């Protein structure tokens, strides 16, 4: 009996010792994600993110964990690990996951610095411009520079007088074109359009993913109407390709319905093999803050080819 009591006391002590550090050093974290299903019919399969014929897919569905842990009065550790979840198509079973933003870093009065895979600050500059983000009508269908790169260092400042500066750096040995590259962005206004009804950004990228480009983008929300515009000049690092790109977007909220339209054009030949023009129209039905159903039609015109796609989808964010 004494032996049992002794063993019980030791076990309780060990459990307490094991539990206390975990509680003392636990981080605040959130598990989040997006579950999406889409039924789409695509004419020729030339456009990105859509195959020819009728397909059932889970476009850009994901799951992730993000959080922070206060180290002292000056520094807080921040982290994010996020993966795209595939599996609807038969050939996704061998690779059901794909890397998305995954990084570790520090934040404080100076802002935030993270190291790992992350959206370049050039991509970040789009804000809420893209009405058909993460669909076959995404602006990255024709506009270059919408990249998520690994092995990067990202700095994002705090807002100062309604302005924010951010910077991406990729060392030479880690960059695709074997040159050190960077992207720098200055944003005036809230890119999420929550604190201000507008957002204006100026951004430049050099030697990231083999491109050099500059863009100006703006989004303005007036009550139920939202308007967006982008102009971009792009060129390849070797100088063989160059051109200009444009995006115009508009949406209007009618109770739970949000009709929207978007136009994108680019002649740099960096995303498509020829000059590209894309028109898209669609409508969202917002059940609540987490759940949205949508219908879209998009038409992509190239110099010698064309494609179109109609899609019906449902997405749930958690």
């Amino acid at each position: 009996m004494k032996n049992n009591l002794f063993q019980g006391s030791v076990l309780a002590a060990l459990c307490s010792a094991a539990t206390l550090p975990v509680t003392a050093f636990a981080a605040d974290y959130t598990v989040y994600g997006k579950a999406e299903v889409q039924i789409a019919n695509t004419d020729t399969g030339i456009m990105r993110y859509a195959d020819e014929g009728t397909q059932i897919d889970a476009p850009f569905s994901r799951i992730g964990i993000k959080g922070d842990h206060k180290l002292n009065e000056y520094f807080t550790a921040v982290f994010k690990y996020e993966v795209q979840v595939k599996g609807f198509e038969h050939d996704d079973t061998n690779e059901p996951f794909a890397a998305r933003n995954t990084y570790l870093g520090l934040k404080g009065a100076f802002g935030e610095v993270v190291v790992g895979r992350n959206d370049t600050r050039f991509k970040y500059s789009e804000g809420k411009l893209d009405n058909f983000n993460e669909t076959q009508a995404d602006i990255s269908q024709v506009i270059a520079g919408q990249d998520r790169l690994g092995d990067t260092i990202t700095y994002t400042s705090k807002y100062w007088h309604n302005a924010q500066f951010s910077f991406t750096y990729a060392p030479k040995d880690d960059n695709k074109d074997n040159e050190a590259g960077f992207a720098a962005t200055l944003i005036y206004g809230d890119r999420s359009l929550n604190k201000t009804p507008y957002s204006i950004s100026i951004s430049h990228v050099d030697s990231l993913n083999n491109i050099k480009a500059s863009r100006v983008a703006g989004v303005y929300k007036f009550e139920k109407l939202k308007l967006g515009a982008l102009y971009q000049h792009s060129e390849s690092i070797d100088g063989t390709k160059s051109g200009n790109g444009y995006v115009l977007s508009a949406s209007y909220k009618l109770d739970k319905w949000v009709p929207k339209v978007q136009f994108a054009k680019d002649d740099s030949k960096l995303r498509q093999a020829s000059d590209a023009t894309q028109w898209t129209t669609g409508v969202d039905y917002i059940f609540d803050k987490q759940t949205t159903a949508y219908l879209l039609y998009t038409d992509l015109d190239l110099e010698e080819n064309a494609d179109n796609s109609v899609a019906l989808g449902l997405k749930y964010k958690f």
Side-chain angles (χ1 to χ4, degrees):
M1 182 174 177
K2 290 182 179 179
N3 187 48
N4 291 337
L5 289 173
F6 175 76
Q7 291 176 347
S9 300
V10 172
L11 181 61
L14 289 174
C15 289
S16 298
T19 303
L20 284 174
V22 173
T23 303
F25 296 100
D28 292 326
Y29 66 90
T30 301
V31 176
Y32 67 95
K34 183 184 77 165
E36 184 167 354
V37 61
Q38 182 191 92
I39 303 173
N41 182 269
T42 304
D43 186 21
T44 60
I46 294 173
M47 67 176 61
R48 299 169 184 267
Y49 320 122
D51 296 325
E52 180 182 358
T54 302
Q55 307 288 333
I56 299 177
D57 201 0
F60 300 97
S61 293
R62 69 189 67 132
I63 188 168
I65 180 171
K66 60 182 178 180
D68 56 48
H69 173 65
K70 187 173 182 179
L71 302 176
N72 53 42
E73 60 180 313
Y74 303 107
F75 299 109
T76 298
V78 294
F79 64 89
K80 177 185 282 190
Y81 287 82
E82 181 179 302
V83 295
Q84 181 177 336
V85 182
K86 301 183 288 182
F88 274 33
E89 299 179 14
H90 62 85
D91 58 353
D92 285 337
T93 55
N94 292 328
E95 297 182 4
F97 302 105
R100 289 180 59 86
N101 290 344
T102 300
Y103 54 72
L104 177 65
L106 294 172
K107 69 177 180 180
F110 58 89
E112 179 181 276
V113 176
V114 298
V115 180
R117 179 176 297 276
N118 203 2
D119 292 345
T120 69
R121 298 300 89 174
F122 194 73
K123 180 180 187 299
Y124 178 82
S125 68
E126 74 173 84
K128 295 295 182 180
L129 169 81
D130 193 349
N131 277 341
F132 299 92
N133 188 43
E134 298 186 335
T135 70
Q136 49 269 63
D138 192 298
I139 65 172
S140 61
Q141 186 75 246
V142 298
I143 301 294
Q146 298 297 104
D147 300 311
R148 177 181 299 111
L149 303 178
D151 303 321
T152 60
I153 301 171
T154 304
Y155 168 73
T156 305
S157 75
K158 289 191 171 183
Y159 271 90
W160 184 75
H161 291 286
N162 216 28
Q164 181 191 61
F165 174 76
S166 56
F167 189 83
T168 297
Y169 175 75
K172 176 180 177 180
D173 293 341
D174 293 322
N175 202 8
K176 188 173 182 180
D177 54 14
N178 200 33
E179 293 288 341
F182 72 91
T185 293
L186 179 65
I187 297 178
Y188 183 74
D190 181 11
R191 68 184 297 273
S192 297
L193 303 181
N194 292 322
K195 296 180 180 179
T196 66
Y198 60 85
S199 173
I200 301 171
S201 65
I202 301 173
S203 189
H204 179 76
V205 61
D206 193 334
S207 299
L208 288 182
N209 209 13
N210 288 318
I211 71 163
K212 180 186 291 186
S214 299
R215 72 166 50 155
V216 177
V219 183
Y220 180 72
K221 184 172 66 174
F222 178 72
E223 296 182 350
K224 298 179 180 181
L225 176 66
K226 187 185 75 170
L227 300 173
L230 176 148
Y231 165 76
Q232 177 172 319
H233 177 76
S234 313
E235 59 184 72
S236 58
I237 293 300
D238 60 12
T240 59
K241 300 177 181 179
S242 66
N244 300 310
Y246 312 87
V247 178
L248 296 173
S249 65
S251 65
Y252 192 83
K253 188 174 182 181
L254 296 168
D255 193 19
K256 291 182 175 294
W257 297 92
V258 184
K260 50 191 183 179
V261 65
Q262 188 159 286
F263 170 78
K265 182 178 178 63
D266 186 84
D267 58 15
S268 69
K269 301 179 178 64
L270 288 170
R271 288 296 287 173
Q272 300 288 349
S274 65
D275 293 2
T277 301
Q278 186 170 34
W279 282 98
T280 307
T281 185
V283 61
D284 290 348
Y285 183 82
I286 303 173
F287 290 96
D288 52 39
K289 291 183 178 180
Q290 294 176 279
T291 313
T292 302
Y294 63 87
L295 176 68
L296 69 85
Y297 173 81
T298 185
D299 184 271
L300 176 66
D301 290 319
L302 307 178
E303 289 181 351
E304 298 180 355
N305 298 299
D307 201 0
N308 62 74
S309 183
V310 59
L312 178 65
L314 177 69
K315 56 186 175 183
Y316 174 78
K317 295 182 179 180
F318 59 91

